[in-house]
Amino acid sequence: MDAWRARLDDQAYEDAIRYCANSILPMHFGEKLINKIFGRNLQSHAAGLLAVMHCEAELGLGERPTLTRIQAEMGRSRTLSSFFSLLRFARFIEAVDHDGDRRTRILLAKPPLLDGLKTWLSHHMTCAEVAGLLPTGSTHRLKSDEVFALRYIAAARLMLDRVRSHTTHGQDAWSWFDRFDCGDRIALALLRAHYEDAGEQETRWFLLDTRQLAERLGISHSHLRNVVNGAEARGFVLQDRRTHRTALTPQMLNEIRDFHLSFWGWMAETADHAESGQTFAA
């Protein structure tokens, strides 16, 4: 698999990652509440697992999600409990009584959560198409075929587990960024600025308006600067403080390439499982 990724056409990958940054990043601009709710990887992974369990149950392949079931897979956490309370308040989920246990509340995924996940998946599915990992038309089917979308989300358990494990335990650039609030958004902003310059020079310097980016993401400027400065210390970015320019290092670019090609490959596998009716219910 690693050898196959190495042979992937560089232009195809660059087109895919450029599309990724240009399509996904604008989704988060001006969405302060959404970024607050889903800006941490633990929270976004928990929401994804809830959606998977919900769709498994809709297909008769598993039990309805509850806080206890989700904590059994992700670990007990006061933060997680508070997060689901926030989701209920924002009407992304609904808590209803369990017919067989009065002490347990079932968590139902509401359309805003499922639609948001489907939108996020569709953007990455298009990236996989552009990179040549999925046949053209897969994204359209996810958007237009409700049965296929239900099956796809239900089959996404293994994919989401892989992403969660990678971002939790990985030592690469994407995992490092993703551990910070809105870290994935910051990384995408850096990638977009890098690939906006179509030049062939070895180091592509660009101006990054960190105050504007922080405002658009609804995070503090000091937090964003701390992340960028930390990335510089880790060898992921370069900063020329005299000219206020930034550049990405080959290490960051290569490690993010490896992660995204793996991730889009997992998405393609999930499409195959959804097509065959295979899921990974616990």
Side-chain angles (χ1 to χ4, degrees):
M1 184 65 173
D2 289 340
W4 177 87
R5 286 203 299 267
R7 292 195 300 269
L8 185 78
D9 181 74
D10 286 341
Q11 189 60 52
Y13 167 74
E14 185 168 324
D15 290 344
I17 197 65
R18 184 185 292 110
Y19 176 86
C20 179
N22 285 329
S23 65
I24 293 178
L25 187 61
M27 288 172 51
H28 303 298
F29 285 158
E31 296 289 350
K32 187 174 182 177
L33 176 61
I34 298 298
N35 290 332
K36 181 176 180 59
I37 294 175
F38 300 106
R40 297 181 180 179
N41 61 15
L42 173 68
Q43 297 177 174
S44 60
H45 294 321
L49 179 58
L50 188 154
V52 167
M53 290 179 172
H54 175 92
C55 292
E56 289 172 346
E58 287 291 300
L59 293 170
L61 300 171
E63 298 179 8
R64 293 287 178 185
T66 65
L67 178 59
T68 300
R69 287 192 66 212
I70 293 172
Q71 287 179 327
E73 296 199 27
M74 298 194 63
R76 188 168 295 276
S77 167
R78 184 178 302 175
T79 300
L80 203 57
S81 179
S82 300
F83 170 61
F84 285 119
S85 295
L86 180 59
L87 284 185
R88 291 198 300 271
F89 175 78
R91 298 183 179 180
F92 283 100
I93 66 173
E94 180 182 359
V96 300
D97 292 334
H98 192 299
D99 291 339
D101 185 352
R102 292 184 178 181
R103 297 170 299 176
T104 302
R105 301 275 281 174
I106 292 171
L107 303 177
L108 299 178
K110 304 297 288 181
L113 179 64
L114 296 173
D115 290 345
L117 176 59
K118 190 163 66 172
T119 297
W120 180 78
L121 288 171
S122 69
H123 282 297
H124 279 294
M125 189 173 279
T126 299
C127 295
E129 289 185 32
V130 173
L133 301 174
L134 268 174
T136 301
S138 301
T139 304
H140 175 74
R141 186 176 182 191
L142 181 70
K143 291 179 177 180
S144 61
D145 186 335
E146 293 185 5
V147 174
F148 178 75
L150 185 68
R151 289 167 58 183
Y152 189 93
I153 295 174
R157 175 186 287 273
L158 180 59
M159 176 187 71
L160 295 178
D161 282 349
R162 285 168 166 172
V163 172
R164 176 159 58 95
S165 177
H166 182 93
T167 55
T168 300
H169 304 294
Q171 300 301 315
D172 62 296
W174 186 262
S175 299
W176 184 86
F177 274 96
D178 201 40
R179 292 185 184 121
F180 295 94
D181 288 358
C182 288
D184 59 335
R185 282 85 159 154
I186 296 171
L188 285 175
L190 291 168
L191 288 167
R192 186 169 74 164
H194 171 83
Y195 285 110
E196 279 180 349
D197 182 354
E200 297 299 325
Q201 66 268 29
E202 183 175 347
T203 301
R204 300 181 182 181
W205 291 97
F206 54 83
L207 292 173
L208 182 70
D209 190 335
T210 53
R211 290 194 179 279
Q212 182 187 63
L213 178 60
E215 182 179 353
R216 298 180 81 177
L217 291 175
I219 58 178
S220 72
H221 181 249
S222 61
H223 170 68
L224 193 152
R225 288 301 321 166
N226 286 338
V227 173
V228 174
N229 289 338
E232 180 183 33
R234 291 291 295 257
F236 299 143
V237 307
L238 303 171
Q239 296 189 84
D240 185 335
R241 288 171 172 78
R242 182 179 59 84
T243 62
H244 305 290
R245 294 187 302 165
T246 304
L248 308 188
T249 66
Q251 178 186 358
M252 176 168 171
L253 293 168
N254 290 335
E255 290 179 359
I256 286 183
R257 182 184 195 273
D258 288 345
F259 168 74
H260 278 88
L261 290 180
S262 293
F263 173 40
W264 296 333
W266 300 335
M267 293 203 69
E269 290 179 14
T270 302
D272 290 340
H273 295 315
E275 183 68 36
S276 66
Q278 182 181 0
T279 66
F280 296 92

